[in-house]
Amino acid sequence: MQDLSTSPPQLQSIDKAIVDAILSARIQPGARLNENQLATLFSVSRTRVREAMMRLEARCIVTVSPRRGWFVAEPSAEEARHVYGARRIVEYGLLRSMPALSEADRAALHQHLEEERQAIAAGDRQRLTCLMGDFHIRLAEIAGNPVLREVLRDLTARTILISLLYQSEFHALQSHEGHCAIVTALEAGEPEAAAALAIQHLDEVEEGLDLTRRPDPLADLRRSLQPDLEAGLSSLSSMPFTNHR
Amino acid sequence: MQDLSTSPPQLQSIDKAIVDAILSARIQPGARLNENQLATLFSVSRTRVREAMMRLEARCIVTVSPRRGWFVAEPSAEEARHVYGARRIVEYGLLRSMPALSEADRAALHQHLEEERQAIAAGDRQRLTCLMGDFHIRLAEIAGNPVLREVLRDLTARTILISLLYQSEFHALQSHEGHCAIVTALEAGEPEAAAALAIQHLDEVEEGLDLTRRPDPLADLRRSLQPDLEAGLSSLSSMPFTNHR
DNA sequence: TGGACAAATCTTGCATACAAGACTGGAAAG
DNA sequence: CTTTCCAGTCTTGTATGCAAGATTTGTCCA
């Protein structure tokens, strides 16, 4: 994503910037979104920031605590289950009804898988998180239904927040292999098989969550006080979103 | 729905009022939503009206034409196909994974079907439109996934707009029988059959659309100048939403 | 009579101002 | 030393004001 502070304050760029920050895991669930700070950051008035927040709230991506502030959503364990349930249903149906892949589709998917491989090799976890979610959105794009694409885009954003809250361990390789299997099935002209694999894939990912643990209210404090293990990476994306409530 | 002009200006009541008006077909696609009029109607300032519009825009229920105004969405024929495609996928998956009906669920569904019958008998088309959409939302509620319920709520609202734009003839009885069949299959403990019936039902409804005809830009003017055939009904719901652009 | 131009009006886009609730820090009392 | 209360500060909630673009209406000219 481009540098926020220099980007022109185009319409809906605020929404996009925040969603992008979530999709690439540069912004944590529960992070405070201060209206004034965002306004100065985007060189607009609070009015437009608030409008963006309203839109994002309608998409369950941020929540408002009255007279206290806006926060990136922190899906509950129950909500997490529902989001995965919804994804299973949507992606199953999507893949099952998938038309035969065009040459361009195949190339795009292979390109994507290649990027996943590179991110794994480089150990670039932020990029990986982004790619892992994007894979499913690309499938929706190929399926050619923009309505479901929008639905999946929001579900993916929420999924990433869920991962950040509950993921005990991230089996990047396993997920990548799941994606490969889905692509292979699609190429073989077996959408039913691809759909079944998608369910299996989502099951595996959900399996990797620890939905019993309550979100740690001290998480961001803990992170801040710990020696910065990924200093090189995180300093690259110096987002001014504060995580401290 | 309660009378708009006397309802307290609670939070998000504006959103709900407009969505309700759409769900009960008391407001036409393409209808202008004047900020000032809505503000005075709800006894609030334009600020809150605009916030509501932003939320509804994020849900594809209203659109904004820059510096011209807000309008209830007029889904294109292509969008209509995508909405139905999305509904097929979501509802198929939803019903397929439906748990066994509890006694309360059964009662609620039968109650709903009974209301449909009454509306048909009474020839109350507005109420029928509302009930026809509500049936599918209730299924999502029984399925117990609030995420998909929200998705279906918005898809239903868009479906109603589509019907108002493209429906050549409304086979109320056919739709009702489709609903009955679905309920019967669910009661028989055959969610797969219910899912298949839902697809068939949606196919039938989409079949009843004439997606070739372009929306008539003079439709509302035409309506206004024609002798009011349903004067008794439409005068009951004297919504101040203007349909004239 | 028809068309083009221009003024007037209306409506939204955006910023700003003020009010009200929530939080913080410190002082005072037990 | 702990707890409670209160003032100060910060942040959001809401209204309002002004500017800019769009539409409409009325007039003038060919």
Side-chain angles (χ1 to χ4, degrees), chain A residues 27-31 74 161 163-167 213-227 242-245:
Chain A
I27 183 175
Q28 297 286 321
E74 291 182 287
L161 295 176
S163 303
L164 291 172
L165 281 172
Y166 302 105
Q167 198 163 60
R213 81 164 159 200
R214 268 190 322 136
D216 178 6
L218 300 178
D220 19 303
L221 188 55
R222 232 180 279 280
R223 259 191 302 277
S224 305
L225 295 178
Q226 266 179 358
T242 68
N243 284 334
H244 315 290
R245 301 227 203 167

Short mmCIF file of all heavy atoms in Angstrom, two decimals, chain A residues 27-31 74 161 163-167 213-227 242-245:
data_model
loop_
_atom_site.label_atom_id
_atom_site.label_comp_id
_atom_site.label_asym_id
_atom_site.label_seq_id
_atom_site.Cartn_x
_atom_site.Cartn_y
_atom_site.Cartn_z
N ILE A 27 -2.38 -3.72 11.28
CA ILE A 27 -3.19 -3.05 12.29
C ILE A 27 -3.92 -4.14 13.06
O ILE A 27 -4.45 -5.07 12.48
CB ILE A 27 -4.14 -2.06 11.61
CG1 ILE A 27 -4.95 -1.27 12.60
CG2 ILE A 27 -5.05 -2.76 10.64
CD1 ILE A 27 -5.80 -0.21 11.92
N GLN A 28 -3.86 -4.07 14.36
CA GLN A 28 -4.35 -5.16 15.20
C GLN A 28 -5.83 -5.01 15.51
O GLN A 28 -6.35 -3.89 15.56
CB GLN A 28 -3.57 -5.15 16.52
CG GLN A 28 -2.08 -5.41 16.35
CD GLN A 28 -1.81 -6.86 16.04
OE1 GLN A 28 -2.46 -7.74 16.60
NE2 GLN A 28 -0.86 -7.10 15.16
N PRO A 29 -6.50 -6.14 15.75
CA PRO A 29 -7.87 -6.05 16.26
C PRO A 29 -7.86 -5.29 17.58
O PRO A 29 -6.94 -5.46 18.39
CB PRO A 29 -8.29 -7.51 16.44
CG PRO A 29 -7.01 -8.29 16.42
CD PRO A 29 -6.06 -7.52 15.59
N GLY A 30 -8.85 -4.49 17.79
CA GLY A 30 -8.93 -3.71 19.01
C GLY A 30 -8.18 -2.40 18.96
O GLY A 30 -8.28 -1.60 19.88
N ALA A 31 -7.43 -2.18 17.90
CA ALA A 31 -6.67 -0.94 17.78
C ALA A 31 -7.63 0.25 17.76
O ALA A 31 -8.69 0.19 17.12
CB ALA A 31 -5.81 -0.95 16.52
N GLU A 74 -13.05 -6.74 17.20
CA GLU A 74 -12.46 -7.91 17.86
C GLU A 74 -13.52 -9.00 17.89
O GLU A 74 -14.26 -9.12 18.87
CB GLU A 74 -12.04 -7.56 19.30
CG GLU A 74 -10.88 -6.60 19.38
CD GLU A 74 -10.48 -6.31 20.82
OE1 GLU A 74 -11.22 -5.59 21.51
OE2 GLU A 74 -9.45 -6.83 21.25
N LEU A 161 -8.71 -10.73 11.26
CA LEU A 161 -8.80 -10.27 12.64
C LEU A 161 -8.92 -11.46 13.59
O LEU A 161 -8.30 -11.49 14.65
CB LEU A 161 -10.00 -9.34 12.80
CG LEU A 161 -9.93 -8.02 12.02
CD1 LEU A 161 -11.21 -7.23 12.18
CD2 LEU A 161 -8.74 -7.20 12.50
N SER A 163 -7.83 -14.49 13.05
CA SER A 163 -6.53 -15.16 13.12
C SER A 163 -5.62 -14.46 14.12
O SER A 163 -4.96 -15.10 14.95
CB SER A 163 -5.85 -15.16 11.75
OG SER A 163 -6.69 -15.77 10.80
N LEU A 164 -5.60 -13.13 14.03
CA LEU A 164 -4.71 -12.39 14.92
C LEU A 164 -5.10 -12.56 16.38
O LEU A 164 -4.27 -12.47 17.27
CB LEU A 164 -4.73 -10.91 14.54
CG LEU A 164 -4.08 -10.59 13.18
CD1 LEU A 164 -4.33 -9.15 12.81
CD2 LEU A 164 -2.59 -10.89 13.24
N LEU A 165 -6.39 -12.82 16.60
CA LEU A 165 -6.84 -12.95 17.98
C LEU A 165 -6.66 -14.36 18.53
O LEU A 165 -6.31 -14.54 19.69
CB LEU A 165 -8.32 -12.56 18.09
CG LEU A 165 -8.65 -11.07 18.10
CD1 LEU A 165 -10.15 -10.87 18.01
CD2 LEU A 165 -8.10 -10.42 19.37
N TYR A 166 -6.93 -15.33 17.69
CA TYR A 166 -7.07 -16.69 18.23
C TYR A 166 -6.07 -17.69 17.66
O TYR A 166 -6.05 -18.83 18.10
CB TYR A 166 -8.48 -17.23 17.95
CG TYR A 166 -9.57 -16.37 18.54
CD1 TYR A 166 -10.34 -15.54 17.74
CD2 TYR A 166 -9.83 -16.41 19.91
CE1 TYR A 166 -11.35 -14.76 18.29
CE2 TYR A 166 -10.82 -15.63 20.46
CZ TYR A 166 -11.58 -14.80 19.64
OH TYR A 166 -12.57 -14.04 20.19
N GLN A 167 -5.30 -17.27 16.64
CA GLN A 167 -4.45 -18.26 16.00
C GLN A 167 -3.34 -18.69 16.94
O GLN A 167 -2.51 -17.87 17.34
CB GLN A 167 -3.85 -17.69 14.73
CG GLN A 167 -3.33 -18.74 13.79
CD GLN A 167 -3.14 -18.14 12.41
OE1 GLN A 167 -2.38 -17.20 12.25
NE2 GLN A 167 -3.84 -18.66 11.43
N ARG A 213 -9.41 -19.53 24.21
CA ARG A 213 -8.72 -18.45 24.91
C ARG A 213 -9.41 -17.12 24.64
O ARG A 213 -9.75 -16.80 23.52
CB ARG A 213 -7.25 -18.40 24.49
CG ARG A 213 -7.00 -17.69 23.18
CD ARG A 213 -5.54 -17.35 23.03
NE ARG A 213 -5.22 -17.15 21.61
CZ ARG A 213 -3.99 -17.20 21.13
NH1 ARG A 213 -3.00 -17.50 21.93
NH2 ARG A 213 -3.77 -17.00 19.85
N ARG A 214 -9.60 -16.41 25.72
CA ARG A 214 -10.19 -15.10 25.58
C ARG A 214 -9.13 -14.15 25.05
O ARG A 214 -7.95 -14.27 25.38
CB ARG A 214 -10.73 -14.59 26.92
CG ARG A 214 -12.18 -14.94 27.12
CD ARG A 214 -12.72 -14.21 28.32
NE ARG A 214 -11.74 -14.15 29.38
CZ ARG A 214 -11.50 -13.05 30.07
NH1 ARG A 214 -12.15 -11.96 29.79
NH2 ARG A 214 -10.62 -13.05 31.05
N PRO A 215 -9.55 -13.20 24.21
CA PRO A 215 -8.60 -12.21 23.73
C PRO A 215 -7.90 -11.52 24.90
O PRO A 215 -8.54 -11.14 25.88
CB PRO A 215 -9.49 -11.22 22.97
CG PRO A 215 -10.69 -12.00 22.58
CD PRO A 215 -10.88 -13.04 23.65
N ASP A 216 -6.61 -11.40 24.80
CA ASP A 216 -5.81 -10.85 25.88
C ASP A 216 -5.88 -9.33 25.85
O ASP A 216 -5.42 -8.70 24.91
CB ASP A 216 -4.36 -11.32 25.70
CG ASP A 216 -3.47 -10.74 26.76
OD1 ASP A 216 -4.00 -10.09 27.68
OD2 ASP A 216 -2.25 -10.95 26.67
N PRO A 217 -6.49 -8.72 26.86
CA PRO A 217 -6.61 -7.25 26.85
C PRO A 217 -5.26 -6.56 26.98
O PRO A 217 -5.14 -5.37 26.74
CB PRO A 217 -7.49 -6.96 28.06
CG PRO A 217 -7.36 -8.15 28.94
CD PRO A 217 -7.08 -9.32 28.06
N LEU A 218 -4.24 -7.31 27.37
CA LEU A 218 -2.92 -6.71 27.53
C LEU A 218 -2.01 -6.99 26.34
O LEU A 218 -0.81 -6.71 26.39
CB LEU A 218 -2.26 -7.23 28.81
CG LEU A 218 -3.01 -6.93 30.10
CD1 LEU A 218 -2.29 -7.54 31.28
CD2 LEU A 218 -3.15 -5.43 30.28
N ALA A 219 -2.62 -7.55 25.29
CA ALA A 219 -1.80 -8.02 24.17
C ALA A 219 -0.89 -6.92 23.62
O ALA A 219 0.31 -7.11 23.46
CB ALA A 219 -2.69 -8.57 23.06
N ASP A 220 -1.47 -5.75 23.36
CA ASP A 220 -0.67 -4.71 22.71
C ASP A 220 0.40 -4.18 23.65
O ASP A 220 1.51 -3.88 23.23
CB ASP A 220 -1.56 -3.57 22.20
CG ASP A 220 -2.90 -3.54 22.86
OD1 ASP A 220 -3.58 -4.57 22.78
OD2 ASP A 220 -3.24 -2.52 23.47
N LEU A 221 0.06 -4.10 24.93
CA LEU A 221 1.06 -3.66 25.90
C LEU A 221 2.21 -4.65 25.92
O LEU A 221 3.39 -4.29 25.87
CB LEU A 221 0.41 -3.55 27.28
CG LEU A 221 1.27 -2.94 28.38
CD1 LEU A 221 1.75 -1.56 27.93
CD2 LEU A 221 0.48 -2.82 29.66
N ARG A 222 1.84 -5.92 25.98
CA ARG A 222 2.83 -6.99 25.96
C ARG A 222 3.75 -6.85 24.75
O ARG A 222 4.97 -6.87 24.86
CB ARG A 222 2.12 -8.34 25.91
CG ARG A 222 2.56 -9.34 26.97
CD ARG A 222 1.80 -10.63 26.83
NE ARG A 222 0.47 -10.56 27.43
CZ ARG A 222 0.27 -10.69 28.75
NH1 ARG A 222 1.27 -10.87 29.57
NH2 ARG A 222 -0.96 -10.63 29.24
N ARG A 223 3.11 -6.69 23.59
CA ARG A 223 3.90 -6.55 22.36
C ARG A 223 4.85 -5.37 22.43
O ARG A 223 6.01 -5.45 22.04
CB ARG A 223 2.94 -6.33 21.17
CG ARG A 223 2.69 -7.57 20.33
CD ARG A 223 1.97 -7.20 19.05
NE ARG A 223 0.69 -6.53 19.29
CZ ARG A 223 -0.43 -7.19 19.55
NH1 ARG A 223 -0.44 -8.50 19.59
NH2 ARG A 223 -1.56 -6.53 19.76
N SER A 224 4.35 -4.26 22.97
CA SER A 224 5.17 -3.05 22.99
C SER A 224 6.38 -3.22 23.89
O SER A 224 7.45 -2.68 23.61
CB SER A 224 4.33 -1.87 23.47
OG SER A 224 3.17 -1.73 22.70
N LEU A 225 6.20 -3.96 24.98
CA LEU A 225 7.29 -4.05 25.95
C LEU A 225 8.29 -5.13 25.59
O LEU A 225 9.44 -5.08 26.02
CB LEU A 225 6.71 -4.31 27.35
CG LEU A 225 5.87 -3.15 27.87
CD1 LEU A 225 5.30 -3.47 29.23
CD2 LEU A 225 6.71 -1.88 27.94
N GLN A 226 7.81 -6.10 24.79
CA GLN A 226 8.74 -7.14 24.38
C GLN A 226 9.79 -6.58 23.43
O GLN A 226 9.51 -5.64 22.69
CB GLN A 226 7.99 -8.27 23.67
CG GLN A 226 7.58 -9.40 24.60
CD GLN A 226 6.81 -10.45 23.85
OE1 GLN A 226 6.56 -10.31 22.66
NE2 GLN A 226 6.43 -11.51 24.54
N PRO A 227 11.00 -7.16 23.46
CA PRO A 227 11.99 -6.77 22.47
C PRO A 227 11.43 -7.02 21.07
O PRO A 227 10.83 -8.07 20.82
CB PRO A 227 13.17 -7.68 22.77
CG PRO A 227 12.63 -8.79 23.60
CD PRO A 227 11.48 -8.21 24.36
N THR A 242 -2.49 3.60 16.78
CA THR A 242 -2.08 3.22 18.13
C THR A 242 -2.83 1.97 18.55
O THR A 242 -4.00 1.80 18.24
CB THR A 242 -2.40 4.33 19.13
OG1 THR A 242 -3.82 4.42 19.24
CG2 THR A 242 -1.84 5.64 18.66
N ASN A 243 -2.16 1.12 19.23
CA ASN A 243 -2.81 -0.09 19.72
C ASN A 243 -3.14 0.01 21.19
O ASN A 243 -3.76 -0.86 21.76
CB ASN A 243 -1.89 -1.30 19.50
CG ASN A 243 -1.91 -1.71 18.05
OD1 ASN A 243 -2.89 -1.46 17.36
ND2 ASN A 243 -0.85 -2.32 17.60
N HIS A 244 -2.71 1.08 21.81
CA HIS A 244 -2.89 1.19 23.25
C HIS A 244 -4.20 1.90 23.53
O HIS A 244 -4.41 3.02 23.10
CB HIS A 244 -1.73 1.97 23.85
CG HIS A 244 -0.42 1.51 23.32
ND1 HIS A 244 0.10 0.29 23.63
CD2 HIS A 244 0.44 2.08 22.47
CE1 HIS A 244 1.25 0.14 23.00
NE2 HIS A 244 1.48 1.21 22.28
N ARG A 245 -5.02 1.23 24.25
CA ARG A 245 -6.31 1.84 24.56
C ARG A 245 -6.19 2.79 25.73
O ARG A 245 -5.64 2.45 26.72
CB ARG A 245 -7.29 0.73 24.96
CG ARG A 245 -7.44 -0.24 23.84
CD ARG A 245 -8.87 -0.47 23.67
NE ARG A 245 -9.10 -1.75 23.02
CZ ARG A 245 -10.30 -2.29 22.99
NH1 ARG A 245 -11.31 -1.71 23.55
NH2 ARG A 245 -10.49 -3.41 22.38
#
